Amino acid sequence: MVDVSPPKWHLGHTTWFFENFILANADSSYQLFDKRFNYIFNSYYVSQGDRLSRGNRVSLNRPKLESILAYREHVDQAMEILLNQNNLSDELLNLFEIGLNHEQQHQELLVTDIKYIFSQNPLMPSFQDDEKVQPEPKTKEIEFLKIEEGVYQIGHDSEEFCFDNEKGRHKVYLHEFEFQNRLVNNQEFLEFINNKGYEKPELWLSEGWDWVQENRICAPEYWIKSGKQWQVFTVFGLRDLNLSDTLTRISFYEAKAFARWKGMRLLTEQEWEVACIKFGVNSELNHFQESNCFHLGAAKDNQLMGSNWEWTNSAYLPYPKYEQAAGALGEYNGKFMVNQMVLRGGSCATPKSHFRPSYRNFFHPQLRWQFTGIRLAKK
Amino acid sequence: MVDVSPPKWHLGHTTWFFENFILANADSSYQLFDKRFNYIFNSYYVSQGDRLSRGNRVSLNRPKLESILAYREHVDQAMEILLNQNNLSDELLNLFEIGLNHEQQHQELLVTDIKYIFSQNPLMPSFQDDEKVQPEPKTKEIEFLKIEEGVYQIGHDSEEFCFDNEKGRHKVYLHEFEFQNRLVNNQEFLEFINNKGYEKPELWLSEGWDWVQENRICAPEYWIKSGKQWQVFTVFGLRDLNLSDTLTRISFYEAKAFARWKGMRLLTEQEWEVACIKFGVNSELNHFQESNCFHLGAAKDNQLMGSNWEWTNSAYLPYPKYEQAAGALGEYNGKFMVNQMVLRGGSCATPKSHFRPSYRNFFHPQLRWQFTGIRLAKK
Amino acid sequence: MVDVSPPKWHLGHTTWFFENFILANADSSYQLFDKRFNYIFNSYYVSQGDRLSRGNRVSLNRPKLESILAYREHVDQAMEILLNQNNLSDELLNLFEIGLNHEQQHQELLVTDIKYIFSQNPLMPSFQDDEKVQPEPKTKEIEFLKIEEGVYQIGHDSEEFCFDNEKGRHKVYLHEFEFQNRLVNNQEFLEFINNKGYEKPELWLSEGWDWVQENRICAPEYWIKSGKQWQVFTVFGLRDLNLSDTLTRISFYEAKAFARWKGMRLLTEQEWEVACIKFGVNSELNHFQESNCFHLGAAKDNQLMGSNWEWTNSAYLPYPKYEQAAGALGEYNGKFMVNQMVLRGGSCATPKSHFRPSYRNFFHPQLRWQFTGIRLAKK
Amino acid sequence: MVDVSPPKWHLGHTTWFFENFILANADSSYQLFDKRFNYIFNSYYVSQGDRLSRGNRVSLNRPKLESILAYREHVDQAMEILLNQNNLSDELLNLFEIGLNHEQQHQELLVTDIKYIFSQNPLMPSFQDDEKVQPEPKTKEIEFLKIEEGVYQIGHDSEEFCFDNEKGRHKVYLHEFEFQNRLVNNQEFLEFINNKGYEKPELWLSEGWDWVQENRICAPEYWIKSGKQWQVFTVFGLRDLNLSDTLTRISFYEAKAFARWKGMRLLTEQEWEVACIKFGVNSELNHFQESNCFHLGAAKDNQLMGSNWEWTNSAYLPYPKYEQAAGALGEYNGKFMVNQMVLRGGSCATPKSHFRPSYRNFFHPQLRWQFTGIRLAKK
């Protein structure tokens, strides 16, 4: 799958970001570690020259891992020297902050990509021991939370770091809406499957139905039916499906069809942001940085952050007054604003420092190799 | 191209709409003209049974045109008898009104599809005599029109017919904006070409740039460079490009790149609708029903209607409280609400009765066989 | 399917052959009917300039049939004047003879292409009335005919016309072999199907098995199972399968698998030619020029000619000393000598004057829209 | 490229051959090392159950190399115990011999696959030091060797091992022919390039020309033009092209076009075998087992063996009386007998014990990642 990159590549690419955008510009005496790396570790920055296409990253049997680790060491040392200097420009410090946030984004991708790569191996290997995981037998009762009609403000609203696509704080008019106090779980989605939800075209968007037919989709990613028992491929290998666990690895198409089957809908990203500001960042994170273990248990809180990315029914588009930067950093977010849907919240694999109400993630509607789930709202 | 159908098929499909949704339900004694027609003339209504795929419509060398005209005659007569009855239900009358509007939509498609089919023929035939066309040497001066910040209402607002996707009148918050009083013309777009706009990735959405590269796009649809002279394939055959004519046959990708090159942007569909209500439906239509000739001349008015469909920067998504009907008519609009962009206004080929501020047209961002153009707004 | 062309195109192409290769060269005063026709009616002669690709021939909604018939009339008249001259060169007369044989080849294609085009229409129209056809209830008993081991000569051996690929008469060494005195019939092939021949990979060439899997092949072209009854799409429309009729519309892959299932094999083209010389051209032709009807009945003679093209197990390759002509006519046969298999004999749609033991037909192994069948030989 | 497998896979697959075909059958107490390996290391034996598709072999990040080496150790030990028993059946000993020859075939593939994989890496790494290589400045003068017309015998003719496709010794009739006493070299092929051979459709088979156009082929595999200097990617990395070196990495299409350009032709496989028997296995091998270095120098002998595989103009087809074995070993050769061309001789990477006049190698005509070259014959 073209969206997934080899782990080694993530290590090289995040390092290249610092070398290419900071060291190569800020320090005229800096020696590139290997000038050929610009070609292989540039992801999609057209302004930075020719680059290896995504689909060809698998060809990188060389450089070996040791060389890439040496590359990281080389760049880390140079960055350390640079950062110890006085009088660094705001622009450089800004780039440095973006570089750190960028690397954190790739930490999340690294986990989900390894998981995907392992899932494609017919031996389905595990990469984590599961002794720590205690399945939660119970989940929260569903309640509906409400937001009143009116004019609200959304968009980033502090001095702290954010990406350019969150900027341009602006007013929106929301009509009253209600939404569930937790995400959909495996039990609920299994009812959709048992009710033949994957076989009823009237529940699906037209392109969603085509996707189901062409790819013979009949369950979430990594679900496998073994006789009468549903199993799921996890970081611990193949395990029986735990019904009270939060549903994950869902495409936008599946989220839409499920909501229609339930007679409900997804939130827009504006609704979600207002809801998150009011009903708060949860305090019972069950995510990697807490538990050292990738596992979505049963809901204990509102799950607004730290469980799954939530598909919204908003297309990824610029905010009013959005300014796409000139040059390479203008390529970071702005050029992807078509044919993708916004996800909000953050998952168990997302770095904790990325959790904020205004954060906008985005993927194509058929993708489901990330931790992605469903929150229902009343029509 | 899969979006284009043979002319014969449009005739059969619009007839089938009346037969299948009205006659077959309302009149138990009605005899289907040919029961196999349900398979070949059903477009995309999954609920109405199996159907011929779009790509296979070219296989319909039979039925011959005479048979399809006989089919239309048969259905017309049965409809006339039915409509002369008393006590017709509101539901039936509603379906009849949809059927008429549906056929009018296909009248527009018929024109643009024939044009496209002729353009694919290496002999590039014409289908209209051009004697009536007098090129306009001059166009309007550009001015900027303004809408004030505030809460506005959009969505259909009368007793007259509209499609379901226009319903659910609701409030939106708009920030102040300004937009041009006419559409972009050939002269302005030629400057973009001459300035190597098609060769500058930084102007393009990422998927737009891929589209340009893969399809080697270097000009609008039907533009052909012959030596140093640009020509354009029209309904009159190949003609020299008239610089003051309104630009048409543009994809969303090209519209976005052009706007970025100009340092401006496209309107959202909400902005467009409020602008249209304020600055009015034009009175100087130069479109087919007036002139009996498909020709986009130079701008004489605001061109808000009757010239080109205008690409907005809004994705095609449901309005708040949008209700997707159950059954077949629920398939008419709702199931296409992903991966498409909204177009507003109406073109010279659009039936006049379809012109209204709330009308929402939608296409995939790469498509450009319709009359589609660009209106610029200030950032 | 790219191998199939619109009927109109065949009419234009065969006319173009005379205009382009004879009139345009032989008569300096000759006026091309339409100079754009060289582009649209050149099939594959790279030396004759750019041409419309095969897959785009469907775009030829223009010229209309009347124009093409006028083209034929124009060329026919010019040819008649030319041929009435004295002192025509041998080269011109040779080209004229090739042109006639070329047109006869396209007469056969015209029939099989129309049949294929009709089969793709979901209405499956017929183009011939079937009143003349009396199904034969009985077929010949199978016997084995024998050829002795030894050195034989093959290749064209007379003053009459032949194509260049038949020339270069040469010696071959054949080992003794025996072969059946008629072609395989529907009954015999139905046993293969009922014995699950299409589900047994061990019977198939590897690429044949891939072809079966990818295209979900489970019967000969045009066979359709309706409940428990096999039907077949014929020129008379859909009819019940007649078991004693000769099997036709078979790919090389199916012929190979069937022969392996029977513990037998196909002939080589050298064996076939020697067999045909000895066991003779049949005298009971049941083919179009006799019966005015395309119908393969039950075998009454050896069926060496006039029933089906027979797949041989020989690849299409040059004979020893084969000379590929320079220029356009060198493109006629020689450039196709890879990845195709030789067929021998001639079918019910082949012009009678083409029947000769040395005639070499050739197709890719998966193709089966021609009248193609199977003759078995002992291992 | 689907024909190329990861090195690890070759190690596992050749081991699986012994385990699956010998140990699992011969020794009822034998424990499979890992029963999942049948799925991942079965290449194309349909009779041996489901298997990983070729294109998915890249997914095998697990098992790690250590596990595969342990697998080899496990199987080697079990084979040693088995072979030390008395009374082993002829069938088992035959399978053992096939297994050894099979592994030797994969040794050759291992080398060419690694080379190919490295060539796809944009860094183009080397895997061998080049200090041993001394370019030969001179090559042999071309002479023509002659074979007289007559009946000859070909096919395997001894008690030693051979593959099933070489069996069935039989008579063929050959007409007199003459062929060159060495293979084509880089200098000669460069003349073809400089004479625009890749731009002249009249030199090419039709499918060869399509292949050139679609893949933009303009030189042999691994040739790269750097300014005015031709370079070639070798096992030592990128080096300047040595003109007197033997040409290699050529497709059948290129071989055919080159021969046509020269006014000559390729040999048939029957001609080659008779020529090889007469003009002998060379004694000056410059191949891996001699030199420990993969390098095709200038011709010093007839190069009938140990330099390049030579494309013949014969399609890969069964010999008369060829018996395709039942069961798995029947899949070894017989099921590939369509759409491939025969290569004869053996290359510098071929195990020496495989050199024999009757050996038949075969590839699709567009493939050129093996050591493949051209020998010219007079028409």
Side-chain angles (χ1 to χ4, degrees), chain D residues 102-249:
Chain D
H102 171 258
E103 179 147 340
Q104 287 167 327
Q105 289 182 314
H106 278 276
Q107 286 167 6
E108 180 169 353
L109 285 170
L110 197 55
V111 169
T112 51
D113 286 8
I114 289 173
K115 171 86 179 285
Y116 184 82
I117 292 165
F118 275 34
S119 79
Q120 295 304 295
N121 186 321
L123 307 178
M124 287 204 273
S126 65
F127 73 85
Q128 198 172 40
D129 200 22
D130 71 347
E131 58 191 291
K132 291 178 202 128
V133 178
Q134 305 294 342
E136 279 295 326
K138 289 203 305 188
T139 192
K140 279 179 77 173
E141 287 296 304
I142 288 175
E143 289 171 35
F144 282 85
L145 309 177
K146 185 192 290 189
I147 297 289
E148 302 295 332
E149 179 169 10
V151 174
Y152 291 89
Q153 289 220 315
I154 69 162
H156 191 61
D157 185 31
S158 83
E159 294 300 300
E160 308 221 338
F161 176 81
C162 77
F163 288 108
D164 65 349
N165 58 8
E166 306 166 52
K167 288 181 180 162
R169 191 158 172 84
H170 62 283
K171 292 182 187 154
V172 294
Y173 193 97
L174 299 184
H175 295 76
E176 182 184 296
F177 64 98
E178 294 183 57
F179 62 98
Q180 293 191 350
N181 63 333
R182 66 162 171 82
L183 301 179
V184 170
N185 67 21
N186 290 340
Q187 162 99 52
E188 291 158 342
F189 200 80
L190 198 52
E191 287 161 17
F192 172 78
I193 296 178
N194 292 337
N195 193 241
K196 302 195 181 304
Y198 280 103
E199 299 163 41
K200 294 177 174 167
E202 66 269 24
L203 298 177
W204 296 79
L205 288 168
S206 182
E207 296 187 15
W209 183 244
D210 292 345
W211 171 80
V212 164
Q213 298 288 299
E214 280 162 28
N215 300 283
R216 304 185 189 188
I217 305 289
C218 54
E221 183 85 75
Y222 306 147
W223 286 34
I224 294 162
K225 197 160 189 179
S226 171
K228 292 194 167 183
Q229 173 62 47
W230 281 99
Q231 295 191 298
V232 58
F233 176 64
T234 72
V235 291
F236 323 114
L238 208 55
R239 292 160 45 113
D240 283 354
L241 186 71
N242 193 32
L243 293 180
S244 56
D245 278 359
T246 302
L247 172 71
T248 189
R249 314 285 185 183

Side-chain angles (χ1 to χ4, degrees), chain D residues 283-349:
Chain D
S283 54
E284 298 175 76
L285 288 171
N286 181 28
H287 95 304
F288 184 68
Q289 281 174 287
E290 297 290 318
S291 63
N292 206 22
C293 162
F294 293 103
H295 171 66
L296 285 181
K300 283 175 282 188
D301 56 35
N302 291 343
Q303 297 188 298
L304 280 158
M305 281 174 174
S307 181
N308 265 324
W309 289 103
E310 302 178 25
W311 287 106
T312 71
N313 204 36
S314 297
Y316 181 49
L317 291 168
Y319 281 170
K321 313 291 175 193
Y322 170 66
E323 289 292 339
Q324 189 175 346
L329 290 181
E331 300 190 46
Y332 201 93
N333 278 308
K335 73 179 184 182
F336 300 111
M337 289 178 172
V338 69
N339 288 339
Q340 307 206 44
M341 301 304 289
V342 172
L343 300 102
R344 293 298 195 105
S347 82
C348 65

